[in-house]
Amino acid sequence: MSDGQSILLTGGSGYVGSHTYVALVQAGFKPYILDNFSNSKKNVVERLERITGLPVPWHEGDTRDVSLLQEIIVKNDIAAVMHFAGFKSVSESVANPLKYFDNNLAGMIGLFKAMENSACRTLVFSSSATVYGDPIEIPITEKSPKNFLNPYGYTKIVCEEMLASLSVSNTQWRNGVLRYFNPVGAHPSGLIGEDPSGPPNNLMPYLAQVAVGKLPILNIYGNDYPTPDGTGVRDYIHVQDLAEAHVAALKTLFKTGSGFTVNIGTGRGYSVMDVVYEFEIACGKSIPYQFVERRSGDIAVCYADATLAKNLLNWNAKLSLTDMCIDSWRWQSNDFS
Ligand code: NAD
Ligand code: UFG
């Protein structure tokens, strides 16, 4: 159990932040949401109130607004921050890198300043397996070299480097860096889930929108990869497991006082076809699909060595691909978005 510390969630009404909000409440923490709603809707706050049965403290604002963040941290006696806020579309980052540098880098610097000024130096950061670029080893360990394939990946590497420099400058900084693999699924209530604006870039939301009839057909990007069925292999992780990983990370930071960088995945890879078959079972329909050219910048295989998270955080993923598909389908077919 926690001592009821207050935790600030930047980007807390987004996909991962909202699920983590619920997990934090259940673990006895007092989360507080700061979001500029650039990629989420305000109705998420009401949904979180329905799920938790409690009022949700939240504020509309931007992580680049240093004085606002500082005020929130001080007023609410914030003990730690979970930094979810940022943009995450690979293709958009290629088309508009400055948008990504401004939001993801300047946004993080704004947060750092506010935290430093208010002597709140415990942070959990949403990093990504994208920092490994085209990985040189599978499964990927945290020691694998970092490399970026696009401006989005570059921002995650720079954020990680900034965190490392801060810890050198002041040992009071306790930073937990979580490198997520492929988060999918939704809360079992069906009230919150991934809610992309416009056509989804990622497999699971695209598949779900085909299943519900919003999109006509799934394009599978390549069937000639060096994988068992020729389609890309990824480490899909249920967002509920990911939310629990944040709680475990926070508890570890409070308990040990030391920072860490860990992979957050299941340690298992599934192909695009594996996901399609499992989703067909979950939704009870066949999914129309066609094989098309490989997507530029895609890699063949990406899955985690998840041992360090188990050893360090005492956390491991529990939910299966079946759970991920059932929960994604429940969320999509509710059509709350
Ligand atoms: P999301 O877009 O659903 O949530 C991000 C939230 O941050 C949104 O609610 C958005 O409105 C808000 N936001 C963006 N910029 C902001 C700013 N400057 N100030 C305040 N709020 C701002 O994304 P998500 O899937 O929940 O991802 C959360 C974090 O995890 C991101 O940093 C993302 O890069 C990282 N990540 C996500 C994935 C994934 O596949 N979902 C994988 C690896 C890493
Ligand atoms: N795919 C399709 N059709 C689609 C969408 C995806 O065939 O419509 C395939 C991709 O080619 C890939 C697999 O499904 O083989 C997974 O693709 P996603 O777009 O869902 O996920 P990625 O692994 O490509 O990328 C995600 C995030 C990135 C992050 C990366 C590593 O979108 O931001 O995981 O964490 F960098």
Side-chain angles (χ1 to χ4, degrees):
M1 278 303 286
S2 82
D3 300 325
Q5 292 108 317
S6 299
I7 314 297
L8 175 63
L9 274 56
T10 72
S13 79
Y15 176 45
V16 184
S18 58
H19 291 79
T20 304
Y21 182 95
V22 177
L24 284 167
V25 170
Q26 284 167 350
F29 290 97
K30 283 193 265 171
Y32 187 105
I33 292 176
L34 177 278
D35 205 298
N36 65 6
F37 300 100
S38 54
N39 198 38
S40 58
K41 296 184 183 132
K42 288 186 184 151
N43 63 17
V44 171
V45 173
E46 294 147 34
R47 307 265 176 79
L48 290 174
E49 291 185 342
R50 277 175 69 185
I51 293 171
T52 60
L54 294 166
V56 170
W58 64 282
H59 198 103
E60 183 166 359
D62 194 286
T63 51
R64 286 161 290 197
D65 187 342
V66 179
S67 53
L68 170 69
L69 259 73
Q70 211 169 307
E71 188 187 319
I72 290 173
I73 292 171
V74 172
K75 255 195 191 162
N76 297 285
D77 194 20
I78 297 292
V81 178
M82 292 191 172
H83 184 44
F84 300 100
F87 294 144
K88 60 171 181 178
S89 161
V90 169
S91 56
E92 189 186 39
S93 79
V94 172
N96 194 351
L98 282 178
K99 181 175 174 183
Y100 276 66
F101 299 158
D102 190 19
N103 200 37
N104 294 9
L105 301 181
M108 185 129 178
I109 293 169
L111 173 65
F112 287 152
K113 286 182 181 166
M115 291 178 72
E116 184 65 51
N117 293 346
S118 45
C120 168
R121 298 191 185 87
T122 304
L123 179 72
V124 177
F125 173 59
S126 304
S127 191
S128 165
T130 194
V131 299
Y132 298 115
D134 196 348
I136 61 158
E137 59 171 357
I138 296 289
I140 306 173
T141 70
E142 290 79 357
K143 290 199 169 72
S144 297
K146 291 192 271 186
N147 197 358
F148 62 89
L149 299 174
N150 49 65
Y152 168 69
Y154 174 75
T155 66
K156 289 297 178 195
I157 292 180
V158 173
C159 287
E160 287 197 6
E161 297 296 330
M162 288 197 286
L163 282 166
S165 304
L166 277 181
S167 312
V168 171
S169 76
N170 184 338
T171 52
Q172 286 177 3
W173 276 95
R174 300 182 288 187
N175 304 318
V177 174
L178 305 186
R179 291 179 177 158
Y180 313 166
F181 278 66
N182 288 58
V184 296
H187 191 268
S189 64
L191 285 168
I192 52 171
E194 191 170 11
D195 189 8
S197 43
N201 294 310
N202 300 114
L203 177 63
M204 190 66 93
Y206 203 103
L207 189 51
Q209 291 198 14
V210 172
V212 85
K214 268 193 186 173
L215 292 168
I217 190 163
L218 173 70
N219 291 313
I220 298 182
Y221 300 132
N223 62 347
D224 57 353
Y225 283 108
T227 61
D229 63 21
T231 65
V233 167
R234 296 291 184 276
D235 187 340
Y236 298 96
I237 172 163
H238 199 299
V239 67
Q240 290 285 95
D241 276 331
L242 180 55
E244 290 303 331
H246 286 77
V247 175
L250 191 63
K251 287 182 174 172
T252 304
L253 286 175
F254 284 142
K255 193 168 141 194
T256 66
S258 310
F260 49 79
T261 298
V262 289
N263 288 339
I264 302 293
T266 63
R268 194 172 164 180
Y270 286 101
S271 73
V272 176
M273 290 314 302
D274 290 333
V275 180
V276 171
Y277 294 142
E278 201 59 56
F279 204 93
E280 287 184 329
I281 296 168
C283 71
K285 304 177 188 188
S286 61
I287 307 285
Y289 65 84
Q290 61 189 357
F291 295 114
V292 298
E293 287 294 292
R294 290 181 181 191
R295 183 170 64 178
S296 156
D298 265 1
I299 55 177
V301 180
C302 177
Y303 61 91
D305 180 327
T307 317
L308 189 62
K310 176 71 189 156
N311 293 343
L312 216 57
L313 312 183
N314 192 26
W315 168 91
N316 60 286
K318 298 194 171 62
L319 298 169
S320 66
L321 183 62
T322 308
D323 299 314
M324 301 177 210
C325 292
I326 289 172
D327 290 335
S328 291
W329 174 240
R330 185 186 298 109
W331 159 244
Q332 181 66 61
S333 49
N334 274 345
D335 200 18
F336 282 135
S337 52

